[in-house]
Amino acid sequence: MHTFIIAEAGVNHNGSLELAKKLIEAAAEAKADAVKFQTFNAKKLVSVNAPKAEYQKQTTDSKESQLDMIAKLQLSEQDHYILQEYANEKGILFLSSAFDEESADFLEKLGMPVYKIPSGEITNLRLLKKIAGYHKDVILSCGMSTLDEIQRAYTTLVEHGAKSVSILHCNTQYPTPFKDVNLRSMDYLREHFDCKIGYSDHTLGIEIPLAAVAMGAEVIEKHFTLDTTMEGPDHKASLDPEQLKAMVSGIRNIEMALGTKKKEVSESEAANRLIARKSLVAARNISKGEVFTEENLTMKRPGNGIGCEYYDDLLGKVAKREYEADALIDFEEMEN
């Protein structure tokens, strides 16, 4: 199992190309699979009257409109080319979410290998049809959505040519209260959709993404920033670079720990069978010809002799030689 980990830079570059490059460096150093940004035309995304979310009011200038806030976070087409090339140099996959059809067409021209559809666009069927028509793998976040809305989006993507669809359970509150995470929704989604299921996280810390992987999430998306104290809508609900490293490392460890469905003796513990298990031994000195009884037979470590499970089978047999106290009983004693 390999969980596809998306380090979500989003708009945490604050409109700075240099900050965006540093975010790519941090994601690559953390060994995430992909670093993802957001591609949009602010004037096509937000109307002049659109209010900010409460968390945005708390983390940005409260007098500033959502349009003004978003406009400062828009990357140019040239920025995208530069960042994609830089990501390639750093050995990490460059991704971006399109918020409109024009942006989607630009990302296709850029050669986007995978398309990520944010929760807010799940009902934008025109955009979904456009992206599905590129015949690429699609990752769909489903925050704020009902099952019917997810089904409609999934069906639209499949019917219009998406190569594959992965669905990410998500809660879009920044940060998400633990009581609202509901990781068991991943099981619910598995029951209804024949596709990969993952999780896009907006909680504080790394516990919830790790738990999601332990529950079978095949894709993880998590916001990160260079500094959680920076001004901007998403910084405070993001991981810092060291936390991102810890999350990726923790996920890889969990993947190894999940193992297989078989219950068998592992290579690392095989030697402990001799140390921790017991064998049949003489409880006291035993003479040749003496009958094995509960008084002269007991079980002690190490476990390299006759196993404890044969205790009752040995009772009543006659000793073929003398034994000193604590001596292992010979395997030949089991023979008739």
Side-chain angles (χ1 to χ4, degrees), residues 23-52:
L23 286 164
I24 290 173
E25 292 172 7
E29 188 174 344
K31 299 182 179 179
D33 293 294
V35 58
K36 190 177 78 63
F37 293 86
Q38 296 178 6
T39 304
F40 53 84
N41 181 318
K43 292 183 178 180
K44 291 185 177 181
L45 177 62
V46 182
S47 70
V48 294
N49 299 316
K52 287 181 178 178

Side-chain angles (χ1 to χ4, degrees), residues 5 206 210 213 243-257:
I5 302 175
I206 67 173
L210 297 183
V213 173
Q243 289 175 310
L244 180 62
K245 287 181 186 177
M247 186 193 78
V248 175
S249 176
I251 287 173
R252 300 306 178 216
N253 287 338
I254 288 170
E255 289 170 347
M256 288 189 290

Side-chain angles (χ1 to χ4, degrees), residues 112-136:
M112 200 60 42
V114 180
Y115 282 87
K116 169 69 201 314
I117 298 173
S119 294
E121 301 299 326
I122 195 168
T123 59
N124 188 347
L125 300 185
R126 285 180 59 88
L127 178 60
L128 269 57
K129 291 175 184 178
K130 166 73 75 172
I131 290 174
Y134 302 140
H135 307 294
K136 303 285 183 62

Side-chain angles (χ1 to χ4, degrees), residues 91-157:
I92 188 168
L93 185 65
F94 176 87
L95 298 179
S96 191
S97 293
F99 287 75
D100 56 79
E101 294 178 61
E102 183 179 297
S103 294
D105 279 336
F106 168 68
L107 291 178
E108 180 63 11
K109 187 170 77 170
L110 201 64
M112 200 60 42
V114 180
Y115 282 87
K116 169 69 201 314
I117 298 173
S119 294
E121 301 299 326
I122 195 168
T123 59
N124 188 347
L125 300 185
R126 285 180 59 88
L127 178 60
L128 269 57
K129 291 175 184 178
K130 166 73 75 172
I131 290 174
Y134 302 140
H135 307 294
K136 303 285 183 62
D137 296 322
V138 178
I139 300 172
L140 175 70
S141 278
C142 62
M144 308 176 291
S145 302
T146 65
L147 181 62
D148 286 345
E149 290 170 335
I150 302 168
Q151 182 67 66
R152 187 183 305 116
Y154 176 81
T155 301
T156 298
L157 289 168

Side-chain angles (χ1 to χ4, degrees), residues 279-287 290-301 306 311 314 319 321-330 333:
S279 302
L280 300 183
V281 301
R284 55 171 174 75
N285 291 343
I286 299 175
S287 302
E290 188 176 344
V291 174
F292 290 113
T293 66
E294 292 182 359
E295 286 71 35
N296 63 16
L297 192 64
T298 191
M299 295 167 278
K300 292 185 180 181
R301 293 177 178 177
I306 300 173
Y311 180 88
L314 192 59
R321 70 171 181 87
E322 293 183 355
Y323 292 93
E324 294 183 354
D326 275 355
L328 290 171
I329 304 301
D330 293 343
E333 300 289 1

